[in-house]
């Protein structure tokens, strides 16, 4: 059995992978950044890092971005919670 966040880890001929949902994406963006722009940057980077979307719990950003449609729509599209923090 392998417990991993990386889909490329297969140490055995038959490997059971468990996908712990424990990753938050910290996203900062300029005002007016679209959902598509965020996806274009974030999704390939996650793939490059071997991070499966099933391991993501949510998105976090600074409270100044709490009304950014692109960021809110990105989290909603993937059914991820979104948290904003005061800086």
């Amino acid at each position: 059995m392998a417990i991993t966040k990386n889909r490329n880890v297969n140490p055995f001929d038959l490997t059971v992978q468990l996908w712990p949902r424990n990753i938050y994406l910290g996203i900062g963006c300029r005002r007016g950044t679209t959902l598509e722009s965020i996806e274009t940057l974030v999704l390939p980077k996650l793939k490059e890092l071997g991070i499966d979307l099933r391991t993501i719990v949510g998105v976090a950003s600074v409270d100044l971005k709490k009304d950014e449609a692109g960021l809110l729509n990105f989290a909603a599209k993937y059914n991820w919670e979104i948290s904003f923090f005061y800086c």
Side-chain angles (χ1 to χ4, degrees):
M1 177 186 331
I3 299 175
T4 180
K5 296 177 208 111
N6 188 325
R7 73 179 92 185
N8 300 320
V9 174
N10 294 300
F12 311 106
D13 290 336
L14 177 61
T15 299
V16 175
Q17 293 183 332
L18 301 178
W19 302 94
R21 292 194 68 205
N22 60 0
I23 294 178
Y24 278 85
L25 302 176
I27 299 179
C29 60
R30 294 182 188 266
R31 290 259 173 231
T33 302
T34 65
L35 157 68
E36 294 79 17
S37 294
I38 295 169
E39 280 183 322
T40 298
L41 179 70
V42 172
L43 298 183
K45 186 51 117 172
L46 292 173
K47 186 173 183 173
E48 175 188 325
L49 294 171
I51 297 173
D52 193 283
L53 295 179
R54 293 173 285 189
T55 64
I56 298 170
V57 176
V59 175
S61 193
V62 62
D63 67 329
L64 296 172
K65 304 297 179 178
K66 64 185 173 197
D67 62 347
E68 283 298 316
L71 191 56
L72 296 170
N73 292 334
F74 177 69
K77 180 176 180 176
Y78 294 95
N79 199 32
W80 294 329
E81 62 184 63
I82 188 163
S83 302
F84 296 97
F85 296 91
Y86 176 76
C87 291

